[in-house]
Amino acid sequence: MLDINSKISIFRKMIWDSEKEKSQSQLEEAIERNKKNLEDKEKSLEDSFNDHIRKRQAFADYRKNELIAKENELAKDKYYKHKKELLDRLKADMIDELKRYTDSPNYKAKLEAYVQREYEKLKAEDPNVDYYLLVRQKDEDLFEGKGYEVKSLPDKYIGGFLLKSQDDSFQYDFTLIRKLSDYNYEIGKRLYSLLESEED
C-alpha cells in the first residue's frame, strides 16, 4: 500500500503534467494567435502601403497629365498667336501694296471706269437721289468737270470711293479697305491652309 507521501507525489505529478500540458497548449495558442495577428498586421500595412503607392502614382499621373495638357495648351496658344501675327503681317503688307497700287496709272484708269459704272447704276435705280463722290484728294482731279459733286475721302480708306447721298441718309462703300475687309476670312483661310500643308 502506498504511503501518503507517494500519493501526494503522484497527485502532484498528475497536476503538474496537466498544468504543463494546459500551459503548453495556451502557449501554442498564444503563439499561433500572435503569429496570425502579426500576419494580419503585415498584410494591413502592406495593403496600406500599396494603397498609398497607388494614390501617389495616380496623383503623379494626374499631375503629369495636367502638365502635359498645360504644355499643349501653351504650345497651341503660341501657335495660334504666331498664325495671327502672320495674318496681321500679311494684311499690313497687303495694305502697303494697295497704297503703292493707288499711285499707279492702272489704278486711276480703273477707278474712273468703276466710279462711272456704279454711279450710273445707282442713278438708273433712283434718278431723284443725288450723291457726293468721295475719293482721295490725289484723285479728285480725275473727276473735275464730269458732273460729280466731289469731296475728299479720309486716308484710312486707302483708296477706292464712297457714293454718299447728299442728305447723308446712306452711302455705298467701294473703298479698298472695305474690299480688303470683305476678303479677311478668305485671306485667313488660305494662309492657314498653306501653313497646315507646310506642317504636313
Side-chain angles (χ1 to χ4, degrees), residues 134-177:
L134 283 79
V135 291
R136 293 181 318 155
Q137 202 168 10
K138 298 180 182 186
D139 300 326
E140 287 179 14
D141 61 326
L142 296 173
F143 301 98
E144 282 178 9
K146 295 188 177 174
Y148 300 106
E149 187 80 35
V150 180
K151 290 190 169 192
S152 289
L153 181 71
D155 290 341
K156 68 178 182 178
Y157 291 103
I158 303 173
F161 63 99
L162 291 173
L163 286 170
K164 191 174 188 180
S165 66
Q166 289 188 2
D167 64 0
D168 284 337
S169 60
F170 59 90
Q171 71 180 14
Y172 295 95
D173 189 341
F174 301 97
T175 62
L176 294 179
I177 200 72

Side-chain angles (χ1 to χ4, degrees), residues 12-161:
R12 268 193 201 148
K13 188 174 181 328
M14 280 174 51
I15 295 220
W16 170 254
D17 285 347
S18 169
E19 285 300 315
K20 186 179 172 188
E21 195 177 303
K22 191 173 167 186
S23 292
Q24 186 65 33
S25 174
Q26 285 175 344
L27 180 63
E28 285 171 3
E29 281 176 18
I31 288 170
E32 195 60 39
R33 193 169 50 248
N34 287 341
K35 184 180 172 187
K36 181 160 183 353
N37 286 344
L38 189 60
E39 285 171 355
D40 289 348
K41 190 68 179 168
E42 279 178 354
K43 186 172 184 329
S44 171
L45 285 171
E46 189 179 340
D47 289 348
S48 177
F49 176 75
N50 289 337
D51 188 48
H52 179 71
I53 293 294
R54 271 193 302 275
K55 284 179 181 171
R56 292 296 298 162
Q57 185 63 48
F59 179 72
D61 288 345
Y62 171 77
R63 289 290 293 146
K64 180 182 77 175
N65 291 339
E66 194 178 53
L67 287 170
I68 289 169
K70 193 174 179 182
E71 283 298 316
N72 287 343
E73 198 60 37
L74 285 171
K76 209 183 288 180
D77 286 349
K78 192 174 175 183
Y79 174 69
Y80 288 133
K81 187 178 174 188
H82 179 65
K83 277 171 54 170
K84 187 182 180 313
E85 284 170 2
L86 286 174
L87 181 59
D88 291 344
R89 203 177 318 149
L90 176 64
K91 284 192 217 169
D93 289 347
M94 290 175 84
I95 286 171
D96 289 343
E97 194 59 41
L98 284 171
K99 284 178 182 174
R100 279 192 291 278
Y101 170 66
T102 58
D103 291 329
S104 72
N106 188 29
Y107 166 76
K108 292 181 185 299
K110 284 187 176 180
L111 180 64
E112 280 188 86
Y114 193 20
V115 167
Q116 186 177 349
R117 186 174 66 243
E118 294 305 324
Y119 184 79
E120 286 173 2
K121 256 198 257 180
L122 291 172
K123 287 304 272 182
E125 286 173 17
D126 193 344
N128 298 322
V129 178
D130 291 318
Y131 296 95
Y132 293 118
L133 170 64
L134 283 79
V135 291
R136 293 181 318 155
Q137 202 168 10
K138 298 180 182 186
D139 300 326
E140 287 179 14
D141 61 326
L142 296 173
F143 301 98
E144 282 178 9
K146 295 188 177 174
Y148 300 106
E149 187 80 35
V150 180
K151 290 190 169 192
S152 289
L153 181 71
D155 290 341
K156 68 178 182 178
Y157 291 103
I158 303 173
F161 63 99

